Amino acid sequence: MAEENTIFIGKKATMNYVLAVVSQFNGGCNDVCIKARGRAISRAVDVSEIVRNRFIRDAAYKDVKIETEVLPGQNGTDANVSSIEIYLAR
Amino acid sequence: MAEENTIFIGKKATMNYVLAVVSQFNGGCNDVCIKARGRAISRAVDVSEIVRNRFIRDAAYKDVKIETEVLPGQNGTDANVSSIEIYLAR
């Protein structure tokens, strides 16, 4: 999947990301990946459910991947952060 | 899957739930379901990654389900809450 089909979920309001995903679908993409790390994971799940239930009703989950990313932390210690990739397709 | 194989993630410390999942596996279960709603979803992902990376290294994701649950809210309005079910198996 091309990088431009990926929406990274951060700390903005949920509907900002919903709009971004819906725009991808309406722009002709049939596959969108929603990515998030740490506490933004809950928001990523909210975004994909809102897209599916309210906007792109024929979108379905193609795959959900859960991983751990190692981020270089402060004072030399590494931090393990969980991440999720939600693949929506229609 | 039997109900007793399901761990519900709430607001306790992450390691409490990790211990609960590991106990299920060590008690002879080969399938464990980790369930969470709303903001606890991020914690559920953390729990399953810690179990997989540190304790039950042969456990793998069998399925990840994302849904919306309708909860009766205060003053008669319903609230939509996202939920996740993570199926770990070895």
Side-chain angles (χ1 to χ4, degrees), chain A residues 10-89:
Chain A
K11 293 184 175 183
K12 291 185 199 163
T14 302
M15 291 311 284
N16 290 34
Y17 301 109
V18 170
L19 185 68
V21 175
V22 171
S23 303
Q24 287 285 328
F25 276 115
N26 288 342
C29 290
N30 290 322
D31 291 86
V32 176
C33 172
I34 299 169
K35 263 186 132 169
R37 281 202 292 232
R39 285 200 221 156
I41 289 175
S42 310
R43 185 168 296 129
V45 171
D46 286 342
V47 167
S48 57
E49 278 296 287
I50 293 171
V51 168
R52 241 168 39 90
N53 290 328
R54 286 206 231 154
F55 296 98
I56 313 287
R57 304 203 65 132
D58 54 348
Y61 293 112
K62 216 172 59 173
D63 198 8
V64 179
K65 281 189 197 151
I66 292 173
E67 281 167 3
T68 298
E69 294 183 18
V70 180
L71 300 181
Q74 285 154 341
N75 54 44
T77 56
D78 288 348
N80 292 321
V81 181
S82 305
S83 70
I84 198 167
E85 291 178 19
I86 302 170
Y87 294 86
L88 273 176

Side-chain angles (χ1 to χ4, degrees), chain B residues 36-53:
Chain B
R37 281 202 290 235
R39 284 200 223 155
I41 290 175
S42 310
R43 185 168 296 127
V45 172
D46 285 343
V47 168
S48 57
E49 278 296 288
I50 293 171
V51 168
R52 243 169 39 90
N53 290 327

Side-chain angles (χ1 to χ4, degrees), chain B residues 4-89:
Chain B
E4 61 259 40
N5 294 2
T6 302
I7 309 289
F8 290 91
I9 307 298
K11 292 184 174 184
K12 291 185 200 162
T14 303
M15 291 311 283
N16 291 35
Y17 302 110
V18 170
L19 185 68
V21 175
V22 171
S23 303
Q24 287 286 329
F25 276 115
N26 288 343
C29 290
N30 290 322
D31 291 85
V32 176
C33 173
I34 299 169
K35 262 186 131 169
R37 281 202 290 235
R39 284 200 223 155
I41 290 175
S42 310
R43 185 168 296 127
V45 172
D46 285 343
V47 168
S48 57
E49 278 296 288
I50 293 171
V51 168
R52 243 169 39 90
N53 290 327
R54 286 205 231 155
F55 296 100
I56 315 286
R57 305 203 62 132
D58 53 348
Y61 293 112
K62 216 171 60 172
D63 198 9
V64 179
K65 281 189 196 151
I66 292 172
E67 281 168 2
T68 298
E69 294 183 17
V70 180
L71 300 181
Q74 285 153 340
N75 54 45
T77 55
D78 287 348
N80 292 320
V81 180
S82 305
S83 70
I84 198 167
E85 292 178 19
I86 303 171
Y87 294 86
L88 272 177

